[in-house]
Amino acid sequence: MSCDNLPARLGLNLPSPLTAFTPDWPGANKVSMWIKRDDLIHPIISGNKWRKLSDVLHTFLHERPASKRHIISFGGGYSNHLHALGWCCRQLDIAFTAIVRGNYQANPTPMLTDLATWQATIRYVTKAEYHRRHDPDYLATLQQDAPGALIIPEGGSQLSALSGVRQLLAEISPHPFNTIITPVASGATMAGIVSGLAPHQSALGIAVLNGVGYLEDLVAQFLPDFSTRHQQNSMLPATQWQILHQFHHGGYARRSPALTSFCDELLKEHELAVEPVYSGKVFYAVKHLLEDGFFTPGDNIVILHTGGLQGSRSDPAGNI
Ligand SMILES: *Cc1c(COP(=O)(O)O)cnc(C)c1O
């Protein structure tokens, strides 16, 4: 049972802090706001990437003998997921193969340079090959080349990611919140949260990319028990979760001047570091929703800070 103290072995700060947030923004005095500081879990495996990987890594270490440990996963050149997973693999003596979309060989990003330092095998693939990352035939050929390796999908987003995400709700649970706000990209974090809500609680997702309908389907696909959005008697009515699509600032890894200056302001005035790909969009949304009277007076709101600052060292154009 040597892996039960995985967080300690990796030096993680868990449970992450829940801190009061009291900006002087219009409307902020009508609600209570708290930040779940998952960005403080660890400087590299920060935020939701640890939540999504924790159970998979636990199981993997229990099941595989040390000599047979190999993980393969996918991402772009700025992937927070590959970066977090690569670091975990290095710390835990697991062989790691990163399949990266695009050819950064001549010009690696800081994230990829770190991966190489951590002795990951990096395979650069074309867009066309990367496109097949969920195709069972393609995965079978990868598996043939690396028998026994564990293949983890892009972003660490799979059904087994949800229980780790629920853990963050368990950490918050003594606190009486009624709404929790999170960014949505692959939807697994949102789905994990939704799957752990109490009946009086709801989740609000902020789309970080342009995907009306698409993102809702991504979240729902992870919720087989609840994929009854269209069905009556759903255990979890669709009213318990909702994704807002007006805060993506042009799409994935796009930003507006307003978002950039907002991120600077948050750091200066609230000593809160956010990046413009995920958490910056969430806090920006909160500020505007407060101003528009979106929340009910008296609401007790938790904002999930999913981290991501390790990825903002240069312009992220191919993140996830
Ligand atoms: C990957 C990532 C997300 C997106 O989470 P999904 O589960 O893919 O929706 C949000 N925030 C940060 C900081 C991330 O790195």
Side-chain angles (χ1 to χ4, degrees), residues 139-311:
L139 297 179
T141 56
L142 288 182
Q143 196 82 74
Q144 245 164 28
D145 295 343
L150 174 71
I151 301 178
I152 297 180
E154 179 184 74
S157 298
Q158 53 188 341
L159 209 49
S160 53
L162 270 58
S163 51
V165 176
R166 281 198 294 274
Q167 186 59 34
L168 81 88
L169 285 180
E171 290 173 15
I172 303 172
S173 73
H175 175 82
F177 74 96
N178 61 308
T179 298
I180 179 164
I181 305 180
T182 180
V184 185
S186 75
T189 303
M190 176 82 173
I193 286 172
V194 169
S195 71
L197 291 175
H200 66 283
Q201 296 169 331
S202 64
L204 185 64
I206 305 300
V208 302
L209 51 91
N210 191 350
V212 180
Y214 164 76
L215 288 176
E216 281 79 359
D217 288 345
L218 284 183
V219 174
Q221 86 179 336
F222 290 120
L223 299 170
D225 297 346
F226 314 111
S227 66
T228 46
R229 283 197 300 151
H230 312 292
Q231 219 172 295
Q232 286 180 346
N233 291 336
S234 162
M235 284 175 61
L236 201 67
T239 52
Q240 227 179 329
W241 62 277
Q242 178 188 2
I243 300 175
L244 298 181
H245 294 275
Q246 66 270 44
F247 300 107
H248 58 64
H249 298 260
Y252 189 71
R254 301 275 174 81
R255 65 183 82 173
S256 61
L259 177 61
T260 306
S261 57
F262 174 79
C263 292
D264 293 345
E265 174 198 312
L266 212 53
L267 183 60
K268 253 191 256 136
E269 289 173 19
H270 302 280
E271 286 172 22
L272 190 64
V274 294
E275 41 65 54
V277 183
Y278 302 104
S279 46
K281 289 181 181 177
V282 168
F283 281 91
Y284 183 97
V286 168
K287 182 174 182 184
H288 286 83
L289 292 171
L290 286 166
E291 201 169 336
D292 295 345
F294 177 87
F295 300 105
T296 306
D299 270 354
N300 198 313
I301 300 166
V302 171
I303 305 164
L304 176 62
H305 192 327
T306 48
L309 289 143
Q310 72 282 24

Side-chain angles (χ1 to χ4, degrees), residues 121-142:
T121 303
I122 304 177
R123 265 195 57 210
Y124 295 102
V125 301
T126 60
K127 260 192 172 167
E129 180 171 345
Y130 194 83
H131 195 70
R132 300 186 64 202
R133 66 196 178 279
H134 302 297
D135 172 351
D137 291 339
Y138 175 64
L139 297 179
T141 56
L142 288 182

Side-chain angles (χ1 to χ4, degrees), residues 27-81:
N29 56 348
K30 299 201 178 84
V31 297
S32 305
M33 285 192 290
W34 303 79
I35 306 176
K36 177 64 171 165
R37 296 295 306 269
D38 270 13
D39 57 313
L40 299 180
I41 290 177
H42 188 272
I44 295 169
I45 342 169
S46 107
N48 64 344
K49 297 303 181 280
W50 165 250
R51 302 292 185 185
K52 292 200 276 185
L53 289 169
S54 59
D55 278 24
V56 175
L57 288 175
H58 254 108
T59 310
F60 180 76
L61 290 171
H62 273 289
E63 285 177 351
R64 311 282 170 114
S67 61
K68 295 214 170 110
R69 291 178 182 161
H70 182 189
I71 291 178
I72 301 175
S73 196
F74 305 87
Y78 293 86
S79 167
N80 291 334
H81 160 70

